[in-house]
Every structure is written in C-alpha cells, then in structure tokens.
C-alpha cells in the first residue's frame, strides 16, 4: 500500500498539550475525532493525564468524584499484595479495576490540517456517573450542520458509549448513554438511509469472548435497536483477536467505506477497510484481506502501547483518505491514502 | 414473609413436556413468562432439551444449524483434554463455549392457574444466527392487547435479548435483537410514561465485573437508549453478586413494583422487590433489605442447579402477587404473596 505519512509526524504529542490542572501531566494525546468545519479541520483529541507527583510508596490514580464534582487522587499502596500493577494502564484489585490515567476530550483547530492550535481547557470531560474514569475515543458524525460526538464513558459500572452534539464546537450538549456496557468503537453513519440512522458498534461478549462489529439502527440517533452482527474476527489474519469501527463511514460510489482497526495475537493494531452496501448497510460487499495501514514508523512501533495505529477520524477529500490516527497510544499522526489504493486493497 | 406455596408444586416438571423431537429428552422446564389472556393464564415455558442418546466416549451437544435449518448434534470427546466439562451446563474449549442443552419456548394454558395444558410443539425456537444455542427466559409485557415477549437469544456471537409479539398466542412475529451482547433479564414496563416506553435490563460488564440492573427508554419498543444505571449488587446482602429483573413491573399505588432476583456468593438465588417512582422510574424509592422469597422447599433446593428461585412472570390480582417461578432450574412452581406483605418487606 502506498501510504503517505506526513513528514511532520507526529503532528501532536503530549508536550503540545497544556495539562488541565497544574498538578497533572499529559501522558498521551491520541485517537482523535475529526470534522471539517468551514475552512478548518477540527480535531477532538483524547488527552490522557495523570498526577505529576510520583510517590515511592503508592501509585496515584485520578478519578472523578461525583460529590465534590472534581477529579480526586486516590493512592494505591505498592506494598499491598491486593493491588496488581502488572498492566501499566490498570490497577486490579479483587473485584475492582482502576485506571492509572484519566482522559478528557480537547479541541484543536487547523487551516492546513497539519499544524493545530490546541485549546487550553477540555471540551468534554468526566461529569456523570458513567464517566468517573474519564471520556475516551470520540468519533464525530456531521449531519445537517450538527456534529454528533459518540464517545466512550468509562466508570466502575462499565464501558459505555455516550452521545454529545454541537453546532459550533463552542457549546456541547450531552444526550446520555446510547450503548450500554460494554460497548465502544461506535461510528454513526453521516446520513439516514430510508429514514433510519445506522451505527457500527462493538459490544463485548465475555461468555463467548467476542469483540466483533455490529450494526444498529435508530429513528433519532438516541435510541438504537435491530442489532445485527456484521463482521467478526478472522483466524490467522491481521484482525484475528479484536476489531472495531474507526471513523464514521464515508460514502463512495460503491457503497459505505469504513476504515476499522483490527488486532492480532501479538496486540499489533492495524487498519483495514470494509465496504457496506449503500442501501442495505448490513450487507458486507468487501473486506481487506491485508491491512490498509500498519505500524511501521518508529513513532507507531514504540510508545505507551507500541505497535498500534488506531483511527477515530478521517476526511475523504479530493479522492484521498486524510487519516488522523493515534500512534502507539501516545501521539497523533497524519497520513494520506488514495481512494484508488483503498479500492485496490478491497479488490474492487 | 408469609409465602403461600401451591401444595401441587412443582406444577410443571420435565415429565409433563413432550420432547420436540423423538430423539430428544426434556431435562427441565423453568423460568416461564406469564400473561392473563381472557379467562386463561398463559405460560410461555422455557423448555431445556438434550439428545436422549448417551455415549461413553463423547458428550453430545445440540445446536441449531443455519444451513440445514435444523438442530444438529455435535459430539465432544470426553478424552480430548481441550474439552472442559467441569460445568455441567457448558463445554469450554480454548476460545469457544458450547451449551450441553438447548432451550425453546412452549405455550401452556390454564383456567385455574395451577393445572396447565402444555402444547406439543415449540412456540418460539432457535431460528436466527442469534439463537443457535437456543432461546431462554422469556418475559411477557401486555400493552393494548399485544403481548410483547422479550427473550434471550444465545449463540456463539453473544447473549442478546430479542423481541417477539403476538395478539393471540397462536402466531408470533419476530422483531430482532433489541439489546446487544451481553444482555439478559429484560423486563418491559406495561405502559408508556409520558409517551416513552421503559425497560429494565441487565448488561454484563466484564472489565468491571458488574451484573447490575439498568433502565432504558424507547419511542417504539424496538430501539432503546438513554441507558441509566439503576441498582447494583450489595455487599454482604442476599443480592451481593448478581441481580436481574424478573417479571414486567406492575403498577401499585406507590409506584412501579418490580420483583427481581439476586444471588449471593454461594449462588443462592432469591427474589426481592424494588419500588420505582411512578412517573420517574429511574428513581428508586425502596428495595428489599431481606428477600421476599427464598429457596426452602425441597424442589427449590435440589435440582439441575439447586438453591434457586427465579421468576420471569407474575400476575398482580386481588391484591396478591401470583408468582410463577423456576425452582432449581428444573421445574415450574407457583406461590402467592400478599401485596401487603410485599409493602411491609419494602418498609412502606
């Protein structure tokens, strides 16, 4: 695949982001939603933070406190045998899970799509009981001038997908939980089809250990039903262990094009494509046998969680996919793939 | 609690049910939905079956085959170390789970609510890709003469809740998957509130190991959103490890009354009550500190899965809860509890 990576990559790193509090440090910026808004490219960044203070005797976990309405810091003693620190992203205790960082969503604006001005303060941050461990991985779908933001709310009661909307990227309205636990990787189609809205989503079945992509439909973008299993993981291929939708699907001549992520047994995350029927999006017309895009650059292979390219947003402009993607759960990068190359990858 | 158990209990056992195929045997009938239909009490029974044949060298698992459109039988060798038979309900293999029985839904009719005539053939059985391991645990909600049946579809792609409807209990219409994996214990309210339908549901969060009851709303009973966490498990109480809605809620003077099940660390399943605000059902007004009903009779304590009382259906008539319940995942029983006693249990 002929992938053009921006020579400026990574285009945004933790150092470019002002912490939301003086006692916090930004440890990563990745998995951004993208929208075209007038002359500008808007990114809604996932910014991960943790307390800047280091303590020998404890790991400090940030979490939103519903009573005081602010993020509090809870220490977990390193010498407590009930605390399992083996995954740097989590602290596991018997029957309890905590995150070592908390994410919020931050706006960034650009005229050239490469150099972004990042807002000083969060646009959407932990506020509800579904978000006490943070908000993550947004996707923007623009319909009739309203930008709908599907984002992940994480809390001890589960991993949900919530909806917010904005017309101006200045004020945001929350619409509650649209997909119950555990569900993430929700990508809403940018147009109704025969009067119904559609979304890709990724429920998790623990009994059957499945992480597949499903399709749901809705009359109003708020309530979702007629859930249909769309595509599963594929043994022996690049997407053998888990998959999930990336950006909102884009319409091309042949149908709906979805760029999705898949991981293999070694937790290597690549991007591939799905082509869905234009009028019957539950029909899969084509799927990447080989990745469209895989981690190769240094900044994709090394980082907080290496060997990861993961996209929550792209623009289809001038017959080119302008892809914003998280690299190694650490930074944001930009790449271009021609639509012709995507079509070739799909065997069209 | 003054619970009146029918002296005829169990009122339905496996021996009362004709197998759906001559080569199958019924191993249990339990967890029935209930509706009042004219003069009759209708039960929609969960009937669990397995192949009657026993083989020394293999366990035989029934499953619906989408290609041949019938239930096929797959042998799992007893001497294959990859097959884990430790839970009699399941066969676990690396990355795969199978069920040792398959359930369908069967109609039973009664004039006195105790002696039931059971249909010879299934009313709803495995038919779709969401049901290849069977259909389970129905709940009926009757609205304006239509009986809506929320039932669990089990397949290798997850545990979903599906919707069907009937006006006459003769023909049934399917409406697809209304709650994506993993979700069960869905109980739809019998009336709209301010123009919106409501349902209790029980998603499973594996990352956070939660089995709590949520509330969802809908414009049309098909698409569901605005998911709200309603009640969780309670450490040290009878419902400390898992809970789930039972029958459809019933309206009493004080609000919506829901009889739900809870299990403790010893997997003992009891029934308790929730009182939800009549106009704002997301507000919990009262909850049973002690069970309303717990396994005590022999037929509740011993069986396929002992120490279980589990209800998918009740009728509120003459100020009395007429409770149909599964005993030990084996048989169907009947009990009555006066509404006054329920109110006392709730501290009203």
């Amino acid at each position: 695949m002929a992938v053009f990576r921006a020579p400026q990559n990574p285009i945004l790193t933790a150092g470019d982001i002002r912490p939301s509090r003086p006692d916090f440090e930004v440890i990563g910026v990745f998995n951004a939603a993208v929208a075209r808004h007038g002359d500008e490219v808007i990114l809604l960044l996932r910014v991960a933070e943790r307390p800047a203070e280091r303590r020998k005797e404890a790991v400090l976990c940030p979490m939103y406190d519903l009573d005081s309405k602010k993020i509090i810091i809870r220490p977990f003693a390193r010498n407590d045998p009930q605390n399992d620190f083996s995954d740097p992203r989590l602290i596991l205790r018997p029957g309890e899970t905590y995150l070592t960082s908390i994410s919020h969503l931050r706006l960034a604006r650009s005229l050239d799509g490469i150099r972004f001005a990042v807002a000083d303060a969060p646009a959407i941050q932990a506020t509800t009981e579904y978000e006490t461990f943070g908000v993550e991985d947004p996707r923007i779908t623009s319909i009739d001038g309203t930008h709908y933001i599907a984002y992940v709310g994480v809390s001890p009661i589960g991993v949900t997908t919530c909806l917010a909307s904005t017309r101006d990227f200045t004020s945001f309205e929350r619409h509650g939980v649209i997909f119950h636990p555990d569900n993430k990787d929700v990508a809403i189609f940018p147009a109704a089809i025969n009067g119904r809205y559609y979304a890709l989503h990724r429920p998790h079945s623990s009994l059957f250990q499945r992480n597949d992509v499903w399709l749901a439909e809705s009359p109003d973008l708020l309530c979702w039903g007629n859930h249909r299993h769309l595509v599963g993981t594929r043994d022996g291929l690049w997407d053998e262990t888990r998959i999930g939708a990336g950006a909102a699907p884009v319409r091309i001549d042949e149908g709906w094009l979805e760029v999705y992520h898949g991981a293999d047994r070694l937790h290597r995350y690549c991007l591939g494509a799905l082509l869905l029927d234009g009028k019957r999006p539950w029909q899969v017309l084509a799927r990447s046998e080989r990745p469209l895009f895989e981690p190769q650059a240094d900044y994709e292979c090394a980082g907080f969680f290496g060997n990861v390219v993961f996209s929550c947003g792209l623009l289809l402009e001038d017959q080119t996919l302008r892809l914003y993607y998280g690299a190694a759960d650490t930074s944001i990068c930009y790449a271009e793939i021609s639509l012709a190359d995507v079509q070739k990858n799909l065997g069209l």
Side-chain angles (χ1 to χ4, degrees), chain A residues 86-102:
Chain A
S86 57
D87 183 329
R89 299 170 298 179
L90 306 173
I91 293 173
L92 301 171
R93 290 172 55 83
E96 294 178 339
T97 299
Y98 297 90
L99 305 195
T100 55
S101 65
I102 187 166

PDB file of all heavy atoms in Angstrom, chain A residues 86-102:
ATOM      1  N   SER A  86       0.447  -5.105  37.209  1.00  0.00           N
ATOM      2  CA  SER A  86       1.159  -5.692  36.072  1.00  0.00           C
ATOM      3  C   SER A  86       0.816  -5.019  34.732  1.00  0.00           C
ATOM      4  O   SER A  86       1.641  -4.980  33.839  1.00  0.00           O
ATOM      5  CB  SER A  86       0.891  -7.204  36.004  1.00  0.00           C
ATOM      6  OG  SER A  86      -0.499  -7.440  35.922  1.00  0.00           O
ATOM      7  N   ASP A  87      -0.391  -4.510  34.563  1.00  0.00           N
ATOM      8  CA  ASP A  87      -0.722  -3.729  33.359  1.00  0.00           C
ATOM      9  C   ASP A  87      -0.595  -2.254  33.717  1.00  0.00           C
ATOM     10  O   ASP A  87      -1.307  -1.766  34.602  1.00  0.00           O
ATOM     11  CB  ASP A  87      -2.161  -4.068  32.916  1.00  0.00           C
ATOM     12  CG  ASP A  87      -2.558  -3.357  31.614  1.00  0.00           C
ATOM     13  OD1 ASP A  87      -2.065  -2.233  31.343  1.00  0.00           O
ATOM     14  OD2 ASP A  87      -3.365  -3.922  30.866  1.00  0.00           O
ATOM     15  N   PRO A  88       0.319  -1.523  33.041  1.00  0.00           N
ATOM     16  CA  PRO A  88       0.573  -0.139  33.466  1.00  0.00           C
ATOM     17  C   PRO A  88      -0.651   0.769  33.328  1.00  0.00           C
ATOM     18  O   PRO A  88      -0.694   1.844  33.924  1.00  0.00           O
ATOM     19  CB  PRO A  88       1.692   0.320  32.523  1.00  0.00           C
ATOM     20  CG  PRO A  88       1.622  -0.587  31.343  1.00  0.00           C
ATOM     21  CD  PRO A  88       1.126  -1.907  31.876  1.00  0.00           C
ATOM     22  N   ARG A  89      -1.651   0.331  32.553  1.00  0.00           N
ATOM     23  CA  ARG A  89      -2.847   1.167  32.364  1.00  0.00           C
ATOM     24  C   ARG A  89      -3.871   0.985  33.478  1.00  0.00           C
ATOM     25  O   ARG A  89      -4.771   1.799  33.644  1.00  0.00           O
ATOM     26  CB  ARG A  89      -3.518   0.809  31.032  1.00  0.00           C
ATOM     27  CG  ARG A  89      -2.621   1.043  29.826  1.00  0.00           C
ATOM     28  CD  ARG A  89      -3.226   0.459  28.577  1.00  0.00           C
ATOM     29  NE  ARG A  89      -3.393  -0.999  28.684  1.00  0.00           N
ATOM     30  CZ  ARG A  89      -3.909  -1.762  27.744  1.00  0.00           C
ATOM     31  NH1 ARG A  89      -4.354  -1.231  26.619  1.00  0.00           N
ATOM     32  NH2 ARG A  89      -4.003  -3.069  27.901  1.00  0.00           N
ATOM     33  N   LEU A  90      -3.727  -0.121  34.241  1.00  0.00           N
ATOM     34  CA  LEU A  90      -4.774  -0.509  35.187  1.00  0.00           C
ATOM     35  C   LEU A  90      -4.205  -0.817  36.561  1.00  0.00           C
ATOM     36  O   LEU A  90      -3.026  -1.170  36.698  1.00  0.00           O
ATOM     37  CB  LEU A  90      -5.477  -1.790  34.699  1.00  0.00           C
ATOM     38  CG  LEU A  90      -6.057  -1.816  33.281  1.00  0.00           C
ATOM     39  CD1 LEU A  90      -6.545  -3.222  32.953  1.00  0.00           C
ATOM     40  CD2 LEU A  90      -7.193  -0.812  33.165  1.00  0.00           C
ATOM     41  N   ILE A  91      -5.048  -0.714  37.563  1.00  0.00           N
ATOM     42  CA  ILE A  91      -4.760  -1.328  38.851  1.00  0.00           C
ATOM     43  C   ILE A  91      -5.902  -2.289  39.134  1.00  0.00           C
ATOM     44  O   ILE A  91      -7.076  -1.892  39.141  1.00  0.00           O
ATOM     45  CB  ILE A  91      -4.639  -0.279  39.967  1.00  0.00           C
ATOM     46  CG1 ILE A  91      -3.401   0.587  39.707  1.00  0.00           C
ATOM     47  CG2 ILE A  91      -4.550  -0.954  41.337  1.00  0.00           C
ATOM     48  CD1 ILE A  91      -3.272   1.756  40.642  1.00  0.00           C
ATOM     49  N   LEU A  92      -5.551  -3.549  39.280  1.00  0.00           N
ATOM     50  CA  LEU A  92      -6.558  -4.572  39.527  1.00  0.00           C
ATOM     51  C   LEU A  92      -6.542  -4.942  41.001  1.00  0.00           C
ATOM     52  O   LEU A  92      -5.484  -5.190  41.573  1.00  0.00           O
ATOM     53  CB  LEU A  92      -6.268  -5.813  38.670  1.00  0.00           C
ATOM     54  CG  LEU A  92      -6.245  -5.581  37.155  1.00  0.00           C
ATOM     55  CD1 LEU A  92      -5.741  -6.824  36.427  1.00  0.00           C
ATOM     56  CD2 LEU A  92      -7.636  -5.197  36.671  1.00  0.00           C
ATOM     57  N   ARG A  93      -7.720  -4.933  41.599  1.00  0.00           N
ATOM     58  CA  ARG A  93      -7.906  -5.443  42.950  1.00  0.00           C
ATOM     59  C   ARG A  93      -9.026  -6.483  42.884  1.00  0.00           C
ATOM     60  O   ARG A  93      -9.782  -6.506  41.928  1.00  0.00           O
ATOM     61  CB  ARG A  93      -8.306  -4.319  43.900  1.00  0.00           C
ATOM     62  CG  ARG A  93      -7.178  -3.325  44.190  1.00  0.00           C
ATOM     63  CD  ARG A  93      -7.708  -2.139  44.970  1.00  0.00           C
ATOM     64  NE  ARG A  93      -8.383  -2.524  46.200  1.00  0.00           N
ATOM     65  CZ  ARG A  93      -7.752  -2.792  47.348  1.00  0.00           C
ATOM     66  NH1 ARG A  93      -6.436  -2.702  47.419  1.00  0.00           N
ATOM     67  NH2 ARG A  93      -8.431  -3.140  48.410  1.00  0.00           N
ATOM     68  N   PRO A  94      -9.130  -7.349  43.897  1.00  0.00           N
ATOM     69  CA  PRO A  94     -10.181  -8.375  43.815  1.00  0.00           C
ATOM     70  C   PRO A  94     -11.549  -7.724  43.587  1.00  0.00           C
ATOM     71  O   PRO A  94     -12.026  -6.936  44.402  1.00  0.00           O
ATOM     72  CB  PRO A  94     -10.100  -9.063  45.183  1.00  0.00           C
ATOM     73  CG  PRO A  94      -8.699  -8.801  45.654  1.00  0.00           C
ATOM     74  CD  PRO A  94      -8.329  -7.451  45.111  1.00  0.00           C
ATOM     75  N   GLY A  95     -12.137  -7.992  42.425  1.00  0.00           N
ATOM     76  CA  GLY A  95     -13.465  -7.453  42.104  1.00  0.00           C
ATOM     77  C   GLY A  95     -13.492  -5.976  41.748  1.00  0.00           C
ATOM     78  O   GLY A  95     -14.557  -5.404  41.547  1.00  0.00           O
ATOM     79  N   GLU A  96     -12.318  -5.342  41.656  1.00  0.00           N
ATOM     80  CA  GLU A  96     -12.290  -3.912  41.342  1.00  0.00           C
ATOM     81  C   GLU A  96     -11.207  -3.615  40.315  1.00  0.00           C
ATOM     82  O   GLU A  96     -10.156  -4.240  40.315  1.00  0.00           O
ATOM     83  CB  GLU A  96     -11.995  -3.070  42.599  1.00  0.00           C
ATOM     84  CG  GLU A  96     -13.083  -3.122  43.648  1.00  0.00           C
ATOM     85  CD  GLU A  96     -12.717  -2.302  44.887  1.00  0.00           C
ATOM     86  OE1 GLU A  96     -11.513  -2.045  45.106  1.00  0.00           O
ATOM     87  OE2 GLU A  96     -13.634  -1.934  45.624  1.00  0.00           O
ATOM     88  N   THR A  97     -11.469  -2.647  39.460  1.00  0.00           N
ATOM     89  CA  THR A  97     -10.498  -2.215  38.460  1.00  0.00           C
ATOM     90  C   THR A  97     -10.413  -0.692  38.491  1.00  0.00           C
ATOM     91  O   THR A  97     -11.441  -0.013  38.577  1.00  0.00           O
ATOM     92  CB  THR A  97     -10.946  -2.680  37.058  1.00  0.00           C
ATOM     93  OG1 THR A  97     -11.016  -4.107  37.042  1.00  0.00           O
ATOM     94  CG2 THR A  97      -9.966  -2.227  35.983  1.00  0.00           C
ATOM     95  N   TYR A  98      -9.202  -0.158  38.451  1.00  0.00           N
ATOM     96  CA  TYR A  98      -8.997   1.294  38.395  1.00  0.00           C
ATOM     97  C   TYR A  98      -8.073   1.615  37.227  1.00  0.00           C
ATOM     98  O   TYR A  98      -7.304   0.767  36.785  1.00  0.00           O
ATOM     99  CB  TYR A  98      -8.389   1.799  39.709  1.00  0.00           C
ATOM    100  CG  TYR A  98      -9.303   1.584  40.880  1.00  0.00           C
ATOM    101  CD1 TYR A  98      -9.246   0.407  41.630  1.00  0.00           C
ATOM    102  CD2 TYR A  98     -10.253   2.536  41.233  1.00  0.00           C
ATOM    103  CE1 TYR A  98     -10.112   0.187  42.689  1.00  0.00           C
ATOM    104  CE2 TYR A  98     -11.123   2.335  42.292  1.00  0.00           C
ATOM    105  CZ  TYR A  98     -11.043   1.153  43.018  1.00  0.00           C
ATOM    106  OH  TYR A  98     -11.914   0.942  44.058  1.00  0.00           O
ATOM    107  N   LEU A  99      -8.162   2.840  36.737  1.00  0.00           N
ATOM    108  CA  LEU A  99      -7.265   3.272  35.662  1.00  0.00           C
ATOM    109  C   LEU A  99      -6.184   4.182  36.248  1.00  0.00           C
ATOM    110  O   LEU A  99      -6.448   4.983  37.146  1.00  0.00           O
ATOM    111  CB  LEU A  99      -8.039   4.044  34.583  1.00  0.00           C
ATOM    112  CG  LEU A  99      -9.257   3.377  33.935  1.00  0.00           C
ATOM    113  CD1 LEU A  99      -9.657   4.131  32.665  1.00  0.00           C
ATOM    114  CD2 LEU A  99      -9.001   1.928  33.599  1.00  0.00           C
ATOM    115  N   THR A 100      -4.992   4.074  35.669  1.00  0.00           N
ATOM    116  CA  THR A 100      -3.882   4.884  36.187  1.00  0.00           C
ATOM    117  C   THR A 100      -3.838   6.273  35.558  1.00  0.00           C
ATOM    118  O   THR A 100      -3.022   7.103  35.938  1.00  0.00           O
ATOM    119  CB  THR A 100      -2.536   4.169  35.936  1.00  0.00           C
ATOM    120  OG1 THR A 100      -2.437   3.874  34.535  1.00  0.00           O
ATOM    121  CG2 THR A 100      -2.443   2.874  36.728  1.00  0.00           C
ATOM    122  N   SER A 101      -4.691   6.505  34.547  1.00  0.00           N
ATOM    123  CA  SER A 101      -4.779   7.844  33.958  1.00  0.00           C
ATOM    124  C   SER A 101      -6.250   8.152  33.723  1.00  0.00           C
ATOM    125  O   SER A 101      -7.104   7.259  33.800  1.00  0.00           O
ATOM    126  CB  SER A 101      -4.000   7.911  32.645  1.00  0.00           C
ATOM    127  OG  SER A 101      -4.591   7.059  31.676  1.00  0.00           O
ATOM    128  N   ILE A 102      -6.539   9.408  33.449  1.00  0.00           N
ATOM    129  CA  ILE A 102      -7.910   9.792  33.116  1.00  0.00           C
ATOM    130  C   ILE A 102      -7.855  10.647  31.858  1.00  0.00           C
ATOM    131  O   ILE A 102      -6.972  11.504  31.721  1.00  0.00           O
ATOM    132  CB  ILE A 102      -8.592  10.517  34.300  1.00  0.00           C
ATOM    133  CG1 ILE A 102     -10.081  10.764  34.005  1.00  0.00           C
ATOM    134  CG2 ILE A 102      -7.887  11.824  34.661  1.00  0.00           C
ATOM    135  CD1 ILE A 102     -10.881  11.154  35.257  1.00  0.00           C
TER     136      ILE A 102
END
